[in-house]
Amino acid sequence: MMVEYFFGVKMRWTLCDMSEGAAGAIEVLVGAFDDIADAGQVTLPREHEQTFTAIFGWWAWINRSCKLVLLARAAGLGHECTPNLRSVVEHSLILQWVVDVGVDALAAVDSFDEERRRKLFDELLAAGWATPEGATRPDGTAHPLRGYVANFAQLCIAYSARDLYVPYRLMSTHIHPTTKGAEAYMRADGGLAGQPVIDMFESFSAVVAVCVIQVALAINSLLGNETLTAAIAEAQGRLGVAIDRPTLK
């Protein structure tokens, strides 16, 4: 038996039950996203239109990344999909922050995008690349909330979610070229392993499932969609625990 706390929720699983329940929860919500997206349009209050339009692509990325993770797991490549797992975790909290904050959060995202484009423009010139016709260097205007977009740790702290930042950092260890990442393919006796001796999906599947459920809750706070409402309830049943969204301080 394994006991884990996440966002203050006490969850008990065996490792096998945890990964299977998490995978089932993720699969249910991916299916609900497909059903909603395949319809081609949604009905929502006018006051939510700007926010939903801005974050729909993130929601799509989260769900399609989860679909990729499930396919990778079925192919025995659960460990190698760690970059996708981490991306889901990061996108999930930023999406919720935009839902919670609204227009100011969208302005902060735009400001950080400008800063990225400005740096890319400078790097392009330094590398001797020809600039596209009509391309100009963005000003990179500042925004007081930009730190929440630029620094995931700051966003986690704002949501009292340091327990989310820990798996994010652990996954980063296996994404970047680190000693720990290389050790994933070495047996305890020093022998080579063609398969990883650890599996990041098995280790953090519940964390990712919680994030995907919270994203669905955030999206549904804008949509109030019956299909998504039913899927959230089923996903929580698969995971075996009731999940709430984190609260922004």
Side-chain angles (χ1 to χ4, degrees):
M1 180 68 69
M2 177 178 180
V3 179
E4 180 174 334
Y5 288 85
F6 188 65
F7 284 133
V9 177
K10 188 176 184 180
M11 299 184 278
R12 294 177 180 269
W13 302 282
T14 65
L15 185 59
C16 178
D17 290 342
M18 176 174 62
S19 60
E20 290 302 325
I26 293 168
E27 186 174 9
V28 166
L29 290 172
V30 168
F33 166 80
D34 285 343
D35 290 342
I36 293 169
D38 288 347
Q41 60 183 6
V42 293
T43 301
L44 72 165
R46 184 174 297 276
E47 63 267 24
H48 296 326
E49 288 179 358
Q50 181 181 4
T51 299
F52 179 77
T53 300
I55 65 175
F56 174 76
W58 290 351
W59 189 35
W61 173 265
I62 288 168
N63 281 279
R64 290 179 63 81
S65 294
C66 284
K67 188 179 293 189
L68 180 61
V69 166
L70 294 174
L71 289 170
R73 178 176 183 251
L77 297 169
H79 181 71
E80 286 73 20
C81 67
T82 302
N84 306 93
L85 296 172
R86 191 184 74 156
S87 181
V88 167
V89 169
E90 183 177 17
H91 276 75
S92 70
L93 197 59
I94 291 179
L95 183 152
Q96 292 179 76
W97 178 67
V98 171
V99 170
D100 289 337
V101 176
V103 175
D104 279 347
L106 292 175
V109 172
D110 287 342
S111 172
F112 189 51
D113 283 351
E114 283 187 358
E115 177 69 7
R116 284 179 169 135
R117 290 195 299 271
R118 182 182 65 78
K119 290 181 177 179
L120 176 60
F121 191 90
D122 291 346
E123 290 164 0
L124 184 150
L125 293 179
W129 283 42
T131 57
E133 184 176 353
T136 58
R137 185 178 187 271
D139 293 334
T141 55
H143 190 283
L145 299 181
R146 195 165 74 187
Y148 293 105
V149 187
N151 188 336
F152 190 62
Q154 183 175 338
L155 188 62
C156 288
I157 291 169
Y159 274 99
S160 300
R162 287 184 180 272
D163 51 354
L164 181 62
Y165 189 61
V166 170
Y168 176 86
R169 287 297 302 272
L170 289 172
M171 284 186 275
S172 298
T173 299
H174 291 274
I175 293 171
H176 302 297
T178 66
T179 301
K180 187 65 176 177
E183 289 175 353
Y185 298 90
M186 297 295 294
R187 299 197 307 264
D189 63 4
L192 306 180
Q195 300 286 332
V197 296
I198 61 173
D199 188 314
M200 296 302 281
F201 180 85
E202 301 301 320
S203 298
F204 295 115
S205 57
V207 172
V208 174
V210 168
C211 289
V212 176
I213 291 171
Q214 289 174 334
V215 164
L217 288 167
I219 291 290
N220 214 27
S221 72
L222 306 178
L223 295 183
N225 182 277
E226 292 182 2
T227 297
L228 193 53
T229 299
I232 291 168
E234 183 178 351
Q236 295 195 66
R238 296 282 189 96
L239 191 60
V241 64
I243 300 297
D244 294 321
R245 288 181 56 208
T247 302
L248 181 64
K249 290 192 296 185

